[in-house]
Amino acid sequence: MGGQACRRAGQTIKGSKMGAYRKLWVINMLDKLGVAVDDGVNALIEATVKALNDTAEKAASEIENKADSLKNEATAADTPNIIPDGTPVKAEISE
């Protein structure tokens, strides 16, 4: 329930530096569901947000690495006399 509320807050409230507003949204949602937000629930909200952020950062890093890899492969394929692993190839012209 708390994890879903944290994800929904992130989807509903866009922009950077909006963490306090997202947390308030989650607290209000939990309050509507009859969940009293005490120190324990607050700690769970914080842990959930951290886990979501860590997952998003990991995914962004993996996407960036894959994009770099694809760019390097494309560059290597467009470079004459270089095989994909970067080893130069001596071209011989036969007549």
Side-chain angles (χ1 to χ4, degrees):
M1 173 180 3
Q4 289 177 330
C6 289
R7 279 191 293 279
R8 289 281 310 271
Q11 294 168 349
T12 303
I13 302 171
K14 300 290 184 190
S16 60
K17 306 294 183 193
M18 299 297 286
Y21 294 103
R22 289 185 192 107
K23 185 173 182 179
L24 183 59
W25 189 93
V26 170
I27 290 169
N28 287 334
M29 183 63 67
L30 292 173
D31 186 54
K32 287 179 185 179
L33 296 171
V35 176
V37 179
D38 57 12
D39 289 341
V41 173
N42 187 52
L44 289 172
I45 292 170
E46 295 289 335
T48 300
V49 169
K50 182 180 181 336
L52 290 170
N53 288 340
D54 289 349
T55 300
E57 287 176 18
K58 181 179 178 187
S61 176
E62 288 176 6
I63 290 169
E64 184 177 339
N65 290 340
K66 184 63 177 175
D68 287 344
S69 175
L70 291 171
K71 185 175 87 175
N72 290 338
E73 287 176 18
T75 301
D78 292 340
T79 304
N81 300 327
I82 303 278
I83 59 175
D85 71 358
T87 305
V89 176
K90 292 183 180 180
E92 294 182 22
I93 301 174
S94 60
E95 294 180 23

